[in-house]
């Protein structure tokens, strides 16, 4: 009931869109910009790492990372992210959103820089160092997911809350795009200055010594945007919902939001105490009451995010392999090491620019009009349709129509982002109680990263040629790219089915969406 709502929370729900909303989007969004840059920039340099550290002179093709090394370099940050999502999600509900927020950013800045360093020049030493720091980089990134989503949801008004949370997540698209652009600039500059022959022409000279700086610069650049926003993150006040509903400090919540909104807000201490004593605001995560109220919701958010990330990370991390297979990126032996980075970066940048980034902002534009459920269902449907459309006639696309394949493949990215990749981030920040919101978002996000790990490790092996002689060095025979894409299509279809377990939260206050209301409201709902 509106009359039972705390004045400070009601003021946030009905506040007109103003400068502090956009400030919060930028501050929280730059974390996601950095997250995406750090997670996806590795895919731009893995082939270069293989050339530098694993090329055997005289071999017919340039060196590639061995299977265990490649999967570790690609996937270790995702393992760290999963751990960080669970740990910092829980910590955000225990210590407060703001206090934990600074920790995650500091870890990201330090480990981004450290990822470009190494303890030795031997392949084992370099890869061990890289994997170590990328794990901790992922750990910091993991904390950014539940905290950014929760902070933005608790700052936003209910009319445009979905768009604001989605806008924070949409910065991920710019991070992916920016990683491609930085990689293009760095590789073009080095390729121009240290002009080298192709591998076919001169295997030894095709990878100049200076190529070792290329991957380090690309990875270390991710520290810059995170460092630039650290000061502003530390200046953000704690969210009123945490201060009032979790810390039970009505006076502080009223003061903080009064300054933000430029209005006088009454500190309703008695009402906060009354709300704290109610059954709806006291059950724990592992209680029967949570299972009754939110068990199906948590299953829905976890399962859809898990299934989405299998497909999304498979597509993003290994699009270079797909494009190489259809001939859009030339064979490695026809290029020098640095020029190969340029070609891979160009392909990723075009996909990001034409389909990934627009998809995110379509969600921002339509999520508070269409609703979360409709966008997620639609996204999974079209991801399934386009994945089957490129997978079933795969030989036709590969041999006769490369441009058609790239366009269709781009549409799967577009509908991932104008679809479940955005909504799976938004919904868990809205439908769980304030005292469990960060934890439940962290659990949902960690389920997604478990899917990403399956995608990162599984697709690497599954996409290998069915003929072992044609598979990459050190890999067993796989099921081939065609069958791998068919499997991803089936996973998208399953995600569409699991979407029916996710509730709609459009137009509701966070307290309504999470059922965190006064007793009178609960009785009315049960009537």
């Amino acid at each position: 009931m509106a009359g039972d709502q705390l004045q400070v929370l009601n003021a946030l729900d009905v506040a007109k869109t103003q400068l502090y909303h956009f400030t919060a989007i930028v501050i929280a969004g730059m974390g996601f910009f950095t997250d995406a840059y750090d997670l996806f920039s590795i895919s731009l340099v893995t082939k270069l790492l293989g050339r530098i550290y694993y090329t055997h002179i005289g071999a017919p093709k340039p060196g590639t990372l061995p299977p265990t090394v490649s999967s570790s370099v690609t996937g270790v940050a995702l393992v760290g992210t999963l751990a960080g999502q669970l740990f910092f999600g829980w910590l955000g509900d225990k210590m407060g959103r703001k206090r934990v927020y600074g920790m995650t950013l500091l870890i990201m800045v330090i480990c981004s820089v450290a990822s470009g360093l190494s303890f030795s020049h031997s392949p084992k030493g370099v890869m061990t160092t890289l994997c170590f720091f990328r794990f901790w980089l992922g750990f910091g990134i993991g904390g950014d997911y539940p905290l950014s989503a929760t902070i933005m949801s608790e700052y936003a008004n209910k009319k445009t809350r979905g768009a604001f949370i989605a806008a924070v997540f949409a910065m991920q698209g710019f991070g992916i795009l920016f990683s491609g652009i930085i990689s293009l600039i760095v590789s073009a500059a080095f390729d121009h200055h240290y002009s080298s022959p192709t591998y076919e022409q001169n295997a030894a000279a095709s990878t100049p010594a200076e190529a070792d700086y290329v991957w380090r610069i690309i990875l270390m650049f991710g520290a810059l945007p995170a460092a630039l926003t650290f000061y502003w993150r530390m200046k953000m006040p704690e969210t009123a919902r945490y201060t009032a509903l979790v810390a039970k400090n009505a006076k502080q919540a009223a003061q903080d939001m009064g300054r933000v909104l430029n209005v006088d807000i009454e500190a309703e201490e008695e009402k906060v105490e009354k709300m704290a004593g109610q059954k709806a605001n006291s059950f724990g995560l592992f209680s029967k009451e949570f299972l009754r109220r939110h068990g199906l919701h948590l299953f829905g958010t976890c399962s859809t995010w898990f299934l989405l990330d299998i497909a999304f990370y498979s597509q993003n991390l290994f699009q270079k392999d797909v494009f190489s297979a259809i001939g859009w990126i030339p064979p490695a032996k026809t290029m020098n090491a640095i020029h190969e980075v340029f070609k891979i970066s160009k392909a990723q940048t075009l996909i990001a620019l034409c389909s990934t980034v627009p998809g995110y902002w379509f969600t921002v534009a339509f999520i508070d009009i269409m609703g979360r459920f409709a966008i997620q269902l639609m996204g999974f449907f079209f991801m399934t349709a386009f994945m089957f459309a490129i997978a079933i006639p795969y030989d036709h696309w590969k041999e006769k129509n490369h441009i058609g394949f790239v366009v269709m493949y781009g549409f799967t990215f577009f509908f991932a982002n104008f679809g479940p990749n955005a909504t799976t981030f938004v919904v868990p920040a809205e439908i769980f109680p304030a005292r469990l919101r960060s934890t439940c978002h962290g659990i949902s996000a960690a389920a997604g990263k478990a899917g990403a790990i399956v995608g990162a490790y599984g697709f690497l092996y599954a996409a290998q040629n069915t003929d072992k002689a044609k598979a990459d060095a050190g890999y067993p025979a796989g099921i081939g790219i065609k069958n791998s894409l068919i499997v991803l299509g089936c996973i998208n279809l399953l995600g569409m089915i699991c979407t029916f377990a996710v509730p709609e939260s459009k137009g509701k206050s966070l307290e309504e969406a999470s059922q965190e209301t006064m007793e009178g409201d609960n009785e009315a709902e049960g009537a």
Side-chain angles (χ1 to χ4, degrees):
M1 303 255 297
D4 289 329
Q5 176 75 300
L6 287 174
Q7 186 182 341
V8 65
L9 304 187
N10 188 59
L12 284 167
D13 283 340
V14 301
K16 292 181 179 179
T17 300
Q18 50 194 279
L19 181 61
Y20 86 88
H21 287 120
F22 295 106
T23 303
I25 288 171
V26 171
I27 294 169
M30 286 309 291
F32 264 89
F33 180 98
T34 305
D35 297 349
Y37 184 99
D38 290 331
L39 287 178
F40 294 109
S41 60
I42 192 67
S43 67
L44 301 170
V45 299
T46 49
K47 285 189 178 288
L48 178 61
L49 290 169
R51 284 209 191 217
I52 295 171
Y53 298 107
Y54 293 93
T55 292
H56 302 289
I57 302 303
K61 295 191 294 185
T64 57
L65 296 177
T68 52
V69 175
S70 181
S71 56
S72 296
V73 166
T74 305
V76 71
L78 301 177
V79 176
T81 303
L82 188 155
Q85 286 164 335
L86 293 173
F87 176 73
F88 286 114
W90 168 78
L91 203 62
D93 283 332
K94 294 297 179 185
M95 292 178 58
R97 301 16 170 160
K98 178 190 172 180
R99 290 176 67 185
V100 181
Y101 213 24
M103 297 181 204
T104 64
L105 203 65
L106 210 54
I107 293 170
M108 286 158 58
V109 172
I110 293 169
C111 292
S112 284
V113 174
S115 293
L117 307 175
S118 57
F119 294 141
S120 74
H121 292 288
S122 69
K124 186 175 181 180
V126 173
M127 295 305 143
T128 301
T129 306
L130 179 60
C131 288
F132 176 81
F133 284 115
R134 280 192 64 79
F135 172 85
W136 290 108
L137 173 63
F139 191 69
I141 289 171
D144 225 42
Y145 276 74
L147 293 168
S148 290
T150 301
I151 285 171
M152 197 64 244
S153 72
E154 293 182 347
Y155 263 106
N157 60 51
K158 64 182 180 181
K159 184 178 179 182
T160 56
R161 186 180 61 239
F164 289 161
I165 305 172
V168 169
F169 195 62
M171 295 299 285
Q172 188 180 76
F174 286 125
I176 295 171
L177 178 63
F178 192 67
S179 69
I181 292 172
I182 292 297
S183 186
L184 275 173
I185 293 169
V186 173
S187 59
F190 272 78
D191 195 27
H192 176 73
H193 197 269
Y194 304 102
S195 184
S196 306
T198 67
Y199 188 86
E200 281 181 324
Q201 293 169 335
N202 187 332
S206 69
T207 306
E210 292 79 10
D212 197 47
Y213 293 114
V214 172
W215 70 269
R216 297 176 189 275
I217 292 170
I218 291 169
L219 295 186
M220 293 170 78
F221 207 89
L224 185 61
L228 291 174
T229 56
F230 182 78
Y231 171 76
W232 297 106
R233 274 200 183 190
M234 293 298 91
K235 286 197 69 175
M236 289 179 75
E238 182 58 85
T239 71
R241 284 183 160 88
Y242 180 86
T243 306
L245 301 178
V246 183
K248 310 292 190 296
N249 190 338
K251 185 178 180 181
Q252 188 65 51
Q255 286 176 354
D256 288 343
M257 290 305 104
R259 279 198 305 271
V260 168
L261 298 172
N262 294 316
V263 295
D264 291 324
I265 298 175
E266 181 186 350
E268 301 167 293
E269 282 141 332
E270 288 184 14
K271 193 177 283 189
V272 166
E273 288 176 15
K274 182 180 178 184
M275 291 178 73
Q278 293 170 0
K279 184 180 179 182
N281 302 320
S282 59
F283 59 83
L285 179 65
F286 300 105
S287 65
K288 289 183 179 179
E289 187 65 15
F290 178 87
L291 186 64
R292 183 181 73 82
R293 288 172 177 259
H294 298 292
L296 183 63
H297 300 162
L298 189 59
F299 166 79
T301 57
C302 288
S303 61
T304 52
W305 208 336
F306 173 79
L307 295 165
L308 176 274
D309 271 9
I310 294 177
F312 184 73
Y313 278 82
S314 294
Q315 289 174 249
N316 264 295
L317 292 174
F318 300 107
Q319 59 180 280
K320 63 185 183 302
D321 302 297
V322 175
F323 291 150
S324 295
I326 66 164
W328 204 40
I329 296 174
K333 64 183 180 180
T334 66
M335 298 178 282
N336 66 50
I338 299 175
H339 191 64
E340 185 177 26
V341 175
F342 179 84
K343 284 286 190 180
I344 292 168
S345 304
K346 182 180 176 182
Q348 178 164 311
T349 302
L350 284 171
I351 287 291
L353 188 63
C354 298
S355 62
T356 304
V357 171
Y360 282 111
W361 291 97
F362 265 72
T363 299
V364 174
F366 290 104
I367 191 168
D368 287 311
I369 300 170
M370 294 174 60
R372 289 73 163 144
F373 178 83
I375 287 178
Q376 184 162 310
L377 198 67
M378 176 197 69
F380 269 128
F381 173 81
F382 281 112
M383 286 173 69
T384 305
F386 282 111
M387 193 63 78
F388 284 143
I390 60 175
I392 295 170
Y394 176 74
D395 294 330
H396 163 77
W397 299 117
K398 180 180 178 181
E399 295 167 12
K400 298 180 180 179
N401 194 345
H402 293 172
I403 299 300
F405 179 94
V406 172
V407 170
M408 300 284 274
Y409 198 62
F411 271 118
T412 64
F413 281 101
F414 176 81
F415 282 106
N417 297 312
F418 183 29
N421 193 40
T423 55
T424 51
F425 176 80
V426 173
V427 174
E430 299 180 310
I431 63 173
F432 298 108
R435 68 190 179 283
L436 301 171
R437 186 169 291 134
S438 180
T439 301
C440 290
H441 195 285
I443 292 169
S444 303
K449 281 302 164 285
I453 293 165
V454 171
Y457 286 90
F459 194 84
L460 189 67
Y461 286 87
Q464 295 297 320
N465 198 291
T466 52
D467 181 355
K468 190 180 186 307
K470 295 180 181 178
D472 290 340
Y475 287 84
I479 61 175
I481 286 183
K482 175 179 179 176
N483 290 328
S484 298
L485 294 174
I486 289 174
V487 169
L488 292 182
C490 294
I491 288 169
N492 291 333
L493 182 61
L494 190 56
M496 187 167 66
I497 295 169
C498 290
T499 294
F500 287 94
V502 179
E504 179 58 74
S505 48
K506 182 185 79 167
K508 297 178 180 178
S509 72
L510 289 179
E511 288 65 49
E512 290 170 327
S514 65
Q515 304 172 43
E516 193 176 17
T517 50
M518 300 294 282
E519 286 294 341
D521 292 342
N522 295 332
E523 290 166 6
E525 287 174 9

